[in-house]
Amino acid sequence: MRLLVTNIAAIAGIDRERRERVEGAAMKRFDTLSDAWLLAEDGRIAAFGPMSEIGELRADRTVDAGGGLLLPSFCDSHTHLVYAGSREQEFIDKINGLSYEEIARRGGGILNSADRLHAASEDELFAQASERIREIIRMGTGCVEIKSGYGLSTGDELKMLRVIRRIRDSFPIEVRSTFLGAHAVARDYIGRQTEYVDLVCREMIPAVAAEGLADFIDVFCDKGFFTVEETARMLEAGAKYGLRPKIHANELDVSGGVQVGVRHGALSVDHLERMGAEEIETLRGSSTMPTMLPGAAFFLGMPFPPAREMIDAGLGVALASDYNPGSSPSGNMKFVVSLACIRMKMTPAEALNAATLNGACAMGTSRDFGSISEGKVADFYITRPVPSVDFLPYAYTTPLVDRVFLRGEEYCG
Ligand code: NIG
Ligand code: FE
């Protein structure tokens, strides 16, 4: 199957070197080619070039981009989009003055979602998550990581992970799966946190590994959740089964999460609202991708992560949506890019690199996803006609993603 796209005002996010990540000053480049065509063959990008040199190209299907831009699909490396119901009551509680931590201490928050998930069948969960998947595909996401973590018992964690597997098998979006049994201490274990950590290490991790349900392991290493020592124990237990860490760190406090993540070879450390100079120094020279979730800082009214300091220190950074019912009920990556520009002073080019190639890197998929490069999977979207690439984050609520192509085929779901 050969798909030819013509009449593209500009292809953006081109990477002829096919790098696996971009760092520091290199993040400022998001290369473009004006007045272009692109050819995909058998689901991969075969070639692209200027319209003036299109010559005689044979294709099974030709699509006229109508003068829109063509960009690589977003790679959203941190979501919790399998969940039951919603939590707008807590949204009201927050408006009335309660903090995220206070709501959690009262037994709301993650435990609220765990109760709802327990009551939902696998089919119901799949139906609800499928709606969210269709929504994010239509908004331009082509590659997504999804976490468990609303199960908090072996049976319910497996239920969530099976739903993630079903999503992976049912949609053309690329999915990576993360086991997050240590998202919170389950209700039955409150006051017995060490026993809950034992359960994660001795029962949950072996059961998840036995069914091959997870690519990665995550721990919420933060004030009021899991300590650095507990995190280290669980990451070591996961490592025995080949589960590489991607962890929640430094959202509520300077928690030591960055250091424990880097020490255990984490693929990414995520959130990073509370960072010091030491944390940035720890990340320099490591292969761990610092990942920021500005939707959560926006929704919870937290400080935004120090993106400028990190990039200016030479780090590569990724952006993800954190799509979840408590701290970021949105998977809109275009809005995440806008927030990064508006609130974290990232340039549009830096933010788009962070939401595509570096996002893919943060879930181990950047060899095949995250940029317009010959040989990579043909995942891209075409925008409505716009004046420039910078217009995308500038017009921060306008839905500009017009047509979506995954694995070389148009998504019409
Ligand atoms: O990334 N911080 C921990 N976990 C999620 C929130 C989960 C929830 O509140 O349901 C997050 O923000
Ligand atoms: Fe999260």
Side-chain angles (χ1 to χ4, degrees), residues 22-167:
V22 272
E23 297 175 324
M27 289 193 71
K28 283 200 165 38
R29 271 183 52 195
F30 196 65
D31 286 353
T32 58
L33 174 71
S34 298
D35 196 16
W37 56 270
L38 180 141
L39 181 73
E41 184 162 12
D42 298 331
R44 300 253 167 189
I45 297 169
F48 51 88
M51 283 303 282
S52 57
E53 293 167 19
I54 190 164
E56 288 290 302
L57 276 179
R58 220 176 22 80
D60 302 299
R61 183 174 175 214
T62 301
V63 166
D64 185 331
L69 302 176
L70 184 151
L71 282 91
S73 298
F74 293 118
C75 296
D76 189 353
S77 63
H78 181 138
T79 82
H80 310 246
L81 66 73
V82 173
Y83 59 85
S86 52
R87 305 216 310 256
E88 62 273 23
Q89 180 52 50
E90 293 174 10
F91 174 64
I92 306 299
D93 294 341
K94 278 175 232 147
I95 293 170
N96 288 328
L98 285 187
S99 71
Y100 182 80
E101 287 154 284
E102 282 161 345
I103 292 168
R105 272 201 301 274
R106 291 176 165 202
I110 294 166
L111 296 183
N112 181 353
S113 285
D115 294 340
R116 289 166 193 264
L117 184 125
H118 182 69
S121 70
E122 207 170 300
D123 284 346
E124 278 170 63
L125 275 177
F126 177 71
Q128 291 187 25
S130 295
E131 272 311 305
R132 297 178 197 122
I133 287 286
R134 288 189 199 98
E135 178 201 17
I136 65 168
I137 292 176
R138 285 193 293 259
M139 291 190 296
T141 297
C143 194
V144 67
E145 181 256 17
I146 312 174
K147 300 173 192 297
S148 71
Y150 294 122
L152 310 183
S153 70
T154 306
D156 286 344
E157 283 293 309
L158 292 174
K159 176 165 83 174
M160 274 190 90
L161 290 164
R162 289 190 196 113
V163 170
I164 299 172
R165 184 170 59 188
R166 218 165 129 189
I167 290 169

Side-chain angles (χ1 to χ4, degrees), residues 221-223 228 249-259 273-276 278-279:
C221 178
D222 226 317
K223 191 170 87 187
V228 166
N250 298 53
E251 174 184 359
L252 307 172
D253 199 5
V254 184
S255 63
V258 168
Q259 288 83 343
E273 285 85 357
R274 327 271 165 173
M275 292 283 279
E278 194 192 313
E279 278 68 27

Side-chain angles (χ1 to χ4, degrees), residues 362-411:
M363 53 182 148
T365 60
S366 58
R367 234 174 255 175
D368 289 310
F369 296 88
S371 61
I372 302 298
S373 312
E374 278 176 27
K376 279 200 178 180
V377 174
D379 276 12
F380 54 83
Y381 59 87
I382 297 169
T383 70
R384 293 196 221 155
V386 289
S388 67
V389 174
D390 296 345
F391 186 85
L392 300 178
Y394 159 82
Y396 70 99
T397 60
T398 313
L400 295 171
V401 175
D402 189 23
R403 300 174 75 171
V404 166
F405 294 80
L406 295 176
R407 300 174 186 170
E409 286 184 33
E410 185 156 18
Y411 180 79

Side-chain angles (χ1 to χ4, degrees), residues 110-111 149 152 180-187 193 196 200 220 224-226:
I110 294 166
L111 296 183
L152 310 183
L180 175 56
H183 199 188
V185 174
R187 225 180 260 293
Q193 178 141 342
Y196 186 72
V200 170
F220 190 5
F225 289 85
F226 295 93

Side-chain angles (χ1 to χ4, degrees), residues 225-286:
F225 289 85
F226 295 93
T227 65
V228 166
E229 292 69 32
E230 290 164 342
T231 303
R233 248 192 88 197
M234 292 186 273
L235 298 188
E236 276 153 30
K240 292 202 185 98
Y241 294 91
L243 297 175
R244 198 160 170 202
K246 276 176 70 65
I247 73 169
H248 279 75
N250 298 53
E251 174 184 359
L252 307 172
D253 199 5
V254 184
S255 63
V258 168
Q259 288 83 343
V260 73
V262 168
R263 236 183 1 260
H264 287 83
L267 198 50
S268 69
V269 287
D270 302 22
H271 267 290
L272 314 181
E273 285 85 357
R274 327 271 165 173
M275 292 283 279
E278 194 192 313
E279 278 68 27
I280 294 180
E281 206 40 50
T282 303
L283 285 162
R284 270 155 53 104
S286 82

